[in-house]
Amino acid sequence: MASLKFSVSLESKNPNFAIGSSQLLGQCSISAFTGGYVHITGVYLINPFGNLNRIRVSRADTAVSDDSGSNEVDSSFDCSTKEMGIAGLVLGKGLGLDRKFSKGRRNVWQRVRGVKRVRKDVYFKSNCGGNGHDYNEEQQSEPVVVDEQSISGVDVDKVGALSTKRCNSILKNLERTNDDSKALKFFEWMRRKGKLKQNVAAYNLALRVVGRARDWDLAEKMILEMTSESGCELNFQVFNTLIYACSKQRRVGLGAKWFRMMLENGVQPNEATFGMLMSLCQKSRNVEEGEFTFSQMRNFGVRCQSAYSSMLTIYTRLGLYDKAEKVISLLREDEVVLNMENWLVLINTYCQQGKLEEAELVLVSMQEAGFSPNIVVYNMLITGYGKVSKMENAHRLFHNLRAIQIEPDETTYRSMIEGWGRANNYKEAQWYYKELKQEGFRPNSSNMYTMINLQAKNGDEEGALTTLEDMITMGCQYSSMLGILLQAYERFERFDKVPQVLRGSFYEHVLCDQTSCSILAEAYVKHSLVDDAVKILQNKKWKDRVFEDNLYHLLICSCKDMGHFENAIKIYTHMPKSDEQLNLHIICSMIDIYSVMKQFTEAENIYLNLKSSGIALDLITFSVVVRMYIKAGNLKGACLVLETIDKQKNIVPDIYLICDMLRVYQKCGMLDNLRVLYYKLLRSEITWDQEMYKMVINCCARALPIDELSRLFDEMLDHGFDPDTVTFNIVLHAYGRSKLFKKARTVLWMARKRGVVDVISYNTLVAVYGQHKYLGNMASIAKKMQFDGFSVSLHAYNSMLDAYGKEGEMEKFRSVLQRLRESGCAADHYTYNIMINIYGEQGWIEEIAEVLMELKESGIGLDLCGYNTLIKAYGIAGMVEDALGLVKEMRKNGIEPDTRTYSNVLTALQRNDMFFEAVKWSLWMKQMGLSTNVCG
C-alpha cells in the first residue's frame, strides 16, 4: 500500500508560520488519503475558530499514483467523487476520464469551513496494470454500457469480460454519482462473477454506499464476508469509511462500535481514525467514549493534534478542569507539535477556568512558536477577564489591539459590554454599546439584556427606552422584550417606574397584542399596580371576549392567591358589563373571595343574580355556593342549594361536594338524608380513600344501623386505613349506645395500641356505661382512665354523678362529688343541674339551697336547664309558689321560658292538687301556641 504524502506551502509574514494538515480538515487528519501525492493550488483558507488572517496555499499539481498491489481506493474521505459530472451510467468517453477534468469544479478543500471557491485544473492519471492498458486506451475502445439488463446478466459476454480493476472503476463511478441502488446491484453482480476475491477496494466503495444509506447491519455483514469468504485483509480504510459516515450523522454509539470492531480484528487505527472519533465525541459531549478513544490513541503511539484539542474541549465544556489540566500535561509529555487549533484550545481552556495569567503565558509561547496572534485569541482573553470581572485587564487588551494592527470586531465589543455589565459599570458598558453601533455592528440579545438591567438599576428610564427601540430594530419579539424589561425592574425593586418606560410606539403595540397585554397586566397586578392594570384593560385595542374573560379571571385569581382581596374586587367591578353570558369561573372566584372576607351578603347577591339570569349552573358553581353558605353558618341556605342540586339529574356530585353534603346533613340532624346519600355513595364509582372512610363514619354514625356502621369500620381496617381519634370515639359511642360493650372495649384497646386514645374515649365509655346502669363497669373504666395517665375529667365526674344519683346510690354520689371537689375541677352548669335534679328527686331542699348558694358565690348562675330542673324540684317538694316565682325570675334575668318550663309548672300544680291554676296555665299556653302534651 502506498504511503500518503501531503505537502502544503503557506505564504505568511512569518516564514516559520505553519498550520498542520489536521487543522485544515477541521478535526480530521489527512493521513487517511492514500494512493498519491497531492498539491493544492490557489485556495484561501479561514480558520474555523474565528476570523484569522487569510492564508494563501501555494500552487501545486494533483496526481494519483497506482498501487499495483490491491488497487485500494481511499475510503476515509470522499474528496471529489461528486465532481465527475457523470450524465449517465456509460463508461468510456462518457466517464469523462480525459487528461483534464472540466474547469471550475468545486475544490476538494471546500469541505473545510470558510474555504474560498476557486477554479483550478486537475490532472488525473491512473495505471490500470494487470492487462497492460491504461485508462486512455480503454476509453478509446468501444464503450461498455452498464444498465439494468447488463447487471442482471443479459449482456454476459460483454460485461463478464471486464477485468477486476475495470469493474472497480465502474463501481467507483456508480458510487460517485450517488446511485446507491445501482451501485449495490453491480456490487452483487461482482460477487456472483467472483470479482470480490481479495478486492478490498470494491468492498470499500460498497461500504461508502452502505454507510450513506445507514444500513449498518449490511455493513457488518460485508466486513465479515471480507475475511470469511473473499480473503480480504482488513485495514484502517475499511473502518474509517464507516466511522466517517457515523461522524457525518453524529452517531457516536455506532462510531464507537466500528472502532471496537476495528480493535477486535487487530486493525491498527491511523491518525484520521482518532481525529474523526474524537470530533464525534466532542460534538456529542460524550466524555466516556472520548476518554477511551484518547487512551487508545496514546497506546498506539499516534499523535493526532485535533484529538488533543477535542479532548480538551470536551473537558472544558463539561467543567472538568482538573482533567483538562492533565491533557495539557500530556501534550507536553507526548511532545506534540502544536498547531493553531491546539494553541486556541489551550488558551480557551485557561480562560474558561478564569486562569487568565496562564492564558497570557500560552499566548506568549504561541508567538514564540511562530504563530501570529489574531482577534480570536484576544476575544477569548477579553471574554475571560470579563467573566472574572477583571475589566482593567480586558480594557488593557482592548486598547492594545490597534497597537498590534488588529481591529476589534463585533465579538470584541460584545464581550466588553458583557464584562462591564458583570462589573456593574454602567458608564463603561454604555460607551462600548454606543461604539459597537457606531462601528456598524449590531448588539446581540445578551448585550441588550445587560443594558436593560443596568439601566433599570441606575434609573436611566430614557436609556431603557432607547434599548427597547434597538431591540425593535433587531426584530426581537415584543413579548420577549417586555419580559426582559419587567424582569429587570422587578429584580432591582423599581417596578413602579415601568409605566414611565412603557410609552410611545412600544406601549401602543402592547395595547394591540393580546399576549403582551396580558403579561403586562399580570405583572402590574403582581406588584399591586392595579390602577395601571385596569387602565391597560380599558385602553386595549384588541377584541376577543373569551381571551378577555380568561385574562380577568387570571388577574382575579392572582389577587386571591396573594391575599389581595380588595384588588380582586376592584378588578371585578371594572369588568365591562354586557348582556352576554356570564363567566361562571369569575363568578365562582368572586363568591369565594367575598366569603373569605366574610361579606356573605355580597356573595349571596352574586349567586342570586346568577340564579335569576337563567344560566345553567355547573357542579363547580354549586359547590362554591354550598361552601359559602357553610362558612356563613347558614345551613338552611346550604340545604336549599342541595335540594336544587338533587333536582337536577345532570349534576353528579364529586367527592368534595359529597363531603360538604355529609357535613351539612350531620349538623342539621337530617338522618334520612344522610342514609340516602350514604347508599348512593356505595353505588357510585368513587374510590374510597382513608379520608372518605373517616368522613362517612363521622357523619353517618347516628344515621346508619349499628351493623352497617360496624361493617364499614371493619372494611376500613381491612383496607389498611388508620382511623383517627375522632373516628374511634364515634364508633365507641355507637357501640356503647347499642350495648355492644365487648366491641366497645375492643375498639378502645385498638385505639390504645395505635396511640390515638384520648380522654374523650374514656369519657364516652363512662357515659354509656352510666346511661345503661352498668355502674361497676363505669367505675372500672374511670380507674382505667387514671391508670393510663389521664386525670378523671369533669365530663366523667358528671356522668358518674348522674348515674349514681338516678340509681339512688347517694353514698357513692357524695363520694364522687367529694373527689370532684378535691380534684380541683371547677363544676359547670351541668354539674349543678345534676345536683339540683338528684336532690330534688330526693326532696332535699336544704341541699338544693346549698347548691344555689354555691352557684351564686361562683358567679355562674342558673341557666335555662337549671331553672327548669329547680321548678321540677320545687314542685316535688310542694313549693308551688317558689316554682311560679322562678318563672318571673327567669324573665327578669333575660332567660325566656321554653315548653319544658311550662310543662314543669303544670306538673307542679297538678302534683299539689292546684287543678284550677293548672287549667288557667294550660289555657294560656294553648292561646300562646305552646304544646301541653308533655304534661303529666
Side-chain angles (χ1 to χ4, degrees):
M1 183 183 299
S3 61
L4 171 68
K5 296 181 181 179
F6 187 79
S7 170
V8 181
S9 300
L10 303 176
E11 295 180 5
S12 175
K13 296 179 181 179
N14 190 332
N16 297 322
F17 183 88
I19 299 179
S21 60
S22 62
Q23 179 207 0
L24 297 176
L25 280 179
Q27 293 186 352
C28 299
S29 173
I30 307 301
S31 60
F33 285 90
T34 61
Y37 184 81
V38 184
H39 295 277
I40 307 296
T41 305
V43 181
Y44 284 92
L45 297 176
I46 301 177
N47 188 281
F49 283 83
N51 298 326
L52 308 181
N53 294 332
R54 289 183 175 178
I55 304 168
R56 178 86 177 184
V57 181
S58 62
R59 175 178 298 277
D61 293 329
T62 303
V64 179
S65 62
D66 173 55
D67 180 359
S68 58
S70 62
N71 191 30
E72 294 175 347
V73 181
D74 167 36
S75 60
S76 299
F77 297 91
D78 186 5
C79 296
S80 59
T81 58
K82 297 182 182 179
E83 316 306 329
M84 301 295 292
I86 306 300
L89 299 178
V90 181
L91 300 180
K93 292 182 181 180
L95 287 173
L97 299 177
D98 298 318
R99 293 288 297 176
K100 297 182 180 180
F101 288 112
S102 59
K103 295 184 179 181
R105 302 198 180 278
R106 180 174 175 85
N107 191 283
V108 61
W109 297 107
Q110 291 183 17
R111 290 184 176 276
V112 183
R113 182 177 59 183
V115 177
K116 181 176 179 180
R117 181 168 182 171
V118 297
R119 297 175 64 89
K120 67 183 182 68
D121 296 334
V122 182
Y123 294 87
F124 184 93
K125 296 180 180 180
S126 177
N127 186 359
C128 295
N131 57 8
H133 298 285
D134 60 14
Y135 271 169
N136 288 334
E137 292 174 348
E138 287 205 29
Q139 289 170 3
Q140 292 172 3
S141 62
E142 184 179 355
V144 179
V145 179
V146 181
D147 53 18
E148 295 290 340
Q149 292 182 342
S150 302
I151 294 173
S152 62
V154 176
D155 196 4
V156 176
D157 295 335
K158 184 172 293 186
V159 180
L162 294 175
S163 65
T164 299
K165 290 188 177 181
R166 186 73 168 127
C167 289
N168 287 354
S169 177
I170 295 172
L171 182 60
K172 184 173 183 178
N173 181 63
L174 292 173
E175 186 275 328
R176 285 178 173 177
T177 57
N178 287 333
D179 197 335
D180 295 347
S181 61
K182 287 188 177 181
L184 291 178
K185 285 181 180 179
F186 187 73
F187 180 78
E188 179 62 27
W189 177 87
M190 289 178 67
R191 177 187 287 111
R192 294 198 304 269
K193 296 300 180 181
K195 301 293 184 180
L196 298 182
K197 297 296 182 180
Q198 297 182 351
N199 192 349
V200 178
Y203 277 104
N204 210 18
L205 288 168
L207 286 172
R208 287 190 187 184
V209 176
V210 172
R212 196 160 54 220
R214 306 183 185 185
D215 192 345
W216 309 113
D217 292 336
L218 180 57
E220 188 170 358
K221 292 177 181 178
M222 283 186 178
I223 293 176
L224 294 175
E225 179 186 305
M226 288 178 69
T227 56
S228 61
E229 298 180 13
S230 299
C232 297
E233 182 179 353
L234 298 177
N235 56 30
F236 64 83
Q237 290 178 321
V238 173
F239 292 98
N240 283 1
T241 298
L242 296 173
I243 292 172
Y244 176 65
C246 294
S247 178
K248 290 180 66 177
Q249 300 166 24
R250 295 197 175 190
R251 302 288 296 273
V252 64
L254 280 170
K257 172 186 174 181
W258 302 125
F259 180 58
R260 282 168 172 75
M261 186 181 293
M262 188 178 190
L263 299 178
E264 291 169 0
N265 284 275
V267 178
Q268 181 171 342
N270 70 340
E271 188 176 345
T273 311
F274 292 110
M276 288 186 292
L277 285 170
M278 291 303 298
S279 174
L280 185 57
C281 293
Q282 177 184 331
K283 292 174 183 176
S284 60
R285 299 191 180 188
N286 192 321
V287 64
E288 293 82 5
E289 196 60 42
E291 288 176 338
F292 173 76
T293 306
F294 187 76
S295 65
Q296 291 295 320
M297 180 194 73
R298 296 189 70 247
N299 291 339
F300 280 108
V302 178
R303 300 294 180 261
C304 177
Q305 295 164 310
S306 64
Y308 288 90
S309 296
S310 295
M311 199 70 249
L312 271 174
T313 303
I314 293 171
Y315 284 146
T316 302
R317 287 177 178 174
L318 296 177
L320 304 173
Y321 299 122
D322 292 338
K323 291 188 174 183
E325 293 282 358
K326 291 180 181 179
V327 176
I328 295 174
S329 300
L330 292 177
L331 274 170
R332 300 189 184 99
E333 179 183 329
D334 297 343
E335 298 180 353
V336 178
V337 179
L338 304 183
N339 59 17
M340 189 64 177
E341 175 190 350
N342 298 137
W343 288 114
L344 290 175
V345 172
L346 276 173
I347 293 172
N348 182 61
T349 300
Y350 284 122
C351 289
Q352 291 296 323
Q353 298 180 67
K355 297 180 177 181
L356 280 306
E357 292 79 5
E358 289 87 340
E360 293 211 41
L361 290 176
V362 174
L363 176 59
V364 173
S365 299
M366 171 182 161
Q367 291 174 305
E368 293 174 352
F371 292 90
S372 300
N374 52 61
I375 191 60
V376 176
V377 176
Y378 282 97
N379 285 346
M380 287 181 182
L381 291 169
I382 289 173
T383 303
Y385 278 122
K387 286 184 177 180
V388 296
S389 298
K390 293 184 177 180
M391 289 309 296
E392 297 80 6
N393 293 328
H395 186 76
R396 168 179 56 81
L397 289 173
F398 180 85
H399 286 283
N400 286 343
L401 283 175
R402 288 192 173 92
I404 56 176
Q405 297 181 349
I406 296 178
E407 288 294 325
D409 65 357
E410 191 172 45
T411 303
T412 316
Y413 285 104
R414 289 176 175 177
S415 297
M416 292 299 293
I417 294 169
E418 294 304 302
W420 285 119
R422 289 190 186 92
N424 290 320
N425 192 322
Y426 177 46
K427 181 178 179 182
E428 291 292 341
Q430 188 179 36
W431 186 87
Y432 280 99
Y433 186 80
K434 291 180 179 178
E435 286 293 312
L436 172 71
K437 294 195 293 184
Q438 288 179 1
E439 291 292 333
F441 300 130
R442 302 178 70 180
N444 58 15
S445 58
S446 180
N447 295 152
M448 290 182 283
Y449 178 80
T450 299
M451 294 304 298
I452 286 287
N453 277 275
L454 290 172
Q455 287 154 352
K457 182 179 180 180
N458 290 273
D460 187 2
E461 276 67 55
E462 292 297 329
L465 186 60
T466 302
T467 304
L468 288 176
E469 292 173 354
D470 291 341
M471 295 174 79
I472 294 173
T473 304
M474 288 285 293
C476 297
Q477 293 184 353
Y478 283 89
S479 57
S480 299
M481 296 161 55
L482 182 61
I484 291 172
L485 179 71
L486 299 179
Q487 187 180 19
Y489 276 88
E490 185 177 40
R491 178 182 293 111
F492 299 109
E493 299 180 355
R494 300 185 67 251
F495 200 87
D496 57 314
K497 301 297 181 182
V498 170
Q500 299 179 20
V501 180
L502 289 177
R503 60 181 189 270
S505 61
F506 188 84
Y507 182 69
E508 289 298 320
H509 175 81
V510 170
L511 296 178
C512 296
D513 181 68
Q514 292 178 337
T515 303
S516 300
C517 188
S518 60
I519 290 173
L520 185 57
E522 189 174 2
Y524 279 152
V525 167
K526 179 181 177 181
H527 293 276
S528 299
L529 301 177
V530 180
D531 292 335
D532 294 290
V534 170
K535 181 180 178 183
I536 291 173
L537 296 173
Q538 291 176 340
N539 296 335
K540 64 179 180 60
K541 298 181 180 180
W542 48 269
K543 292 183 179 180
D544 187 335
R545 179 58 189 273
V546 176
F547 189 92
E548 184 178 5
D549 280 354
N550 292 334
L551 177 56
Y552 272 106
H553 185 230
L554 176 64
L555 298 179
I556 289 171
C557 289
S558 297
C559 294
K560 175 185 172 184
D561 293 339
M562 292 184 294
H564 301 164
F565 304 118
E566 294 293 343
N567 289 341
I569 294 174
K570 181 181 291 186
I571 293 173
Y572 175 71
T573 55
H574 283 87
M575 282 182 60
K577 302 297 185 294
S578 64
D579 297 330
E580 298 181 20
Q581 184 172 348
L582 297 174
N583 188 303
L584 290 179
H585 299 294
I586 297 176
I587 295 298
C588 291
S589 297
M590 291 310 302
I591 291 175
D592 196 31
I593 288 171
Y594 280 123
S595 298
V596 173
M597 299 179 69
K598 299 187 183 304
Q599 297 183 15
F600 299 111
T601 303
E602 295 292 338
E604 187 176 25
N605 288 338
I606 294 177
Y607 165 63
L608 295 176
N609 291 335
L610 179 63
K611 187 177 179 181
S612 62
S613 66
I615 299 175
L617 276 63
D618 58 7
L619 174 63
I620 297 176
T621 309
F622 278 121
S623 299
V624 171
V625 173
V626 170
R627 186 65 57 85
M628 179 265 293
Y629 279 121
I630 292 175
K631 288 180 180 178
N634 187 352
L635 298 180
K636 182 180 179 180
C639 289
L640 291 175
V641 177
L642 294 178
E643 289 178 7
T644 305
I645 295 174
D646 190 56
K647 293 176 183 177
Q648 298 190 14
K649 302 302 180 182
N650 60 326
I651 301 295
V652 179
D654 60 4
I655 190 169
Y656 304 104
L657 181 56
I658 287 173
C659 291
D660 286 335
M661 295 169 72
L662 289 170
R663 294 188 188 98
V664 171
Y665 292 151
Q666 180 203 21
K667 290 179 180 179
C668 295
M670 303 171 69
L671 302 184
D672 292 337
N673 296 67
L674 283 172
R675 277 191 293 271
V676 172
L677 180 59
Y678 170 75
Y679 288 110
K680 283 184 178 179
L681 189 58
L682 287 181
R683 294 191 298 270
S684 70
E685 297 181 357
I686 294 177
T687 302
W688 287 43
D689 58 4
Q690 180 172 294
E691 297 304 319
M692 192 64 185
Y693 274 105
K694 291 194 293 186
M695 175 64 67
V696 173
I697 292 174
N698 296 349
C699 295
C700 299
R702 290 183 176 273
L704 299 179
I706 189 62
D707 292 339
E708 181 63 20
L709 181 65
S710 179
R711 184 201 66 78
L712 186 62
F713 182 70
D714 292 339
E715 183 181 293
M716 179 182 184
L717 297 175
D718 291 341
H719 282 85
F721 298 136
D722 294 325
D724 57 8
T725 302
V726 174
T727 305
F728 271 120
N729 291 341
I730 288 174
V731 174
L732 266 174
H733 185 267
Y735 284 153
R737 187 179 67 243
S738 301
K739 297 185 180 182
L740 300 174
F741 296 114
K742 184 177 180 180
K743 286 190 173 183
R745 287 193 297 272
T746 302
V747 170
L748 180 65
W749 176 82
M750 291 173 58
R752 290 175 58 202
K753 185 178 179 180
R754 295 170 185 256
V756 294
V757 69
D758 65 354
V759 68
I760 298 176
S761 308
Y762 294 99
N763 289 342
T764 302
L765 273 184
V766 169
V768 294
Y769 275 129
Q771 289 169 4
H772 293 289
K773 302 180 182 180
Y774 288 87
L775 304 185
N777 293 38
M778 179 183 70
S780 176
I781 290 295
K783 291 179 180 179
K784 185 66 177 175
M785 183 178 185
Q786 289 180 303
F787 180 79
D788 288 343
F790 295 96
S791 299
V792 180
S793 65
L794 178 62
H795 184 276
Y797 281 123
N798 289 340
S799 297
M800 289 189 288
L801 285 172
D802 188 57
Y804 285 133
K806 287 180 178 178
E807 288 302 306
E809 297 191 16
M810 300 309 297
E811 290 299 325
K812 293 183 178 180
F813 179 89
R814 293 190 183 95
S815 176
V816 171
L817 186 59
Q818 183 62 29
R819 285 160 52 194
L820 169 62
R821 288 169 176 167
E822 291 175 355
S823 68
C825 292
D828 60 0
H829 276 115
Y830 188 52
T831 310
Y832 290 115
N833 292 342
I834 291 173
M835 294 168 67
I836 293 171
N837 183 52
I838 299 302
Y839 291 152
E841 291 288 345
Q842 298 292 329
W844 296 351
I845 299 301
E846 293 181 1
E847 283 76 1
I848 292 177
E850 291 178 2
V851 172
L852 294 176
M853 182 62 67
E854 190 174 339
L855 268 172
K856 184 177 181 181
E857 291 176 354
S858 64
I860 296 178
L862 288 170
D863 60 359
L864 176 61
C865 183
Y867 275 111
N868 290 343
T869 305
L870 188 56
I871 290 172
K872 179 182 176 182
Y874 282 161
I876 293 173
M879 302 170 61
V880 180
E881 294 297 330
D882 292 328
L884 295 176
L886 287 174
V887 177
K888 296 180 181 179
E889 184 180 327
M890 287 175 67
R891 291 197 177 99
K892 181 180 179 182
N893 292 333
I895 299 175
E896 189 64 28
D898 63 356
T899 304
R900 174 64 62 181
T901 308
Y902 295 116
S903 297
N904 289 346
V905 169
L906 287 175
T907 301
L909 291 172
Q910 291 172 355
R911 180 186 292 270
N912 292 279
D913 299 328
M914 299 177 67
F915 298 106
F916 180 73
E917 292 294 331
V919 171
K920 289 174 58 178
W921 277 88
S922 180
L923 291 173
W924 176 80
M925 290 174 65
K926 191 173 183 179
Q927 290 176 356
M928 298 297 295
L930 300 173
S931 176
T932 60
N933 56 4
V934 294
C935 298

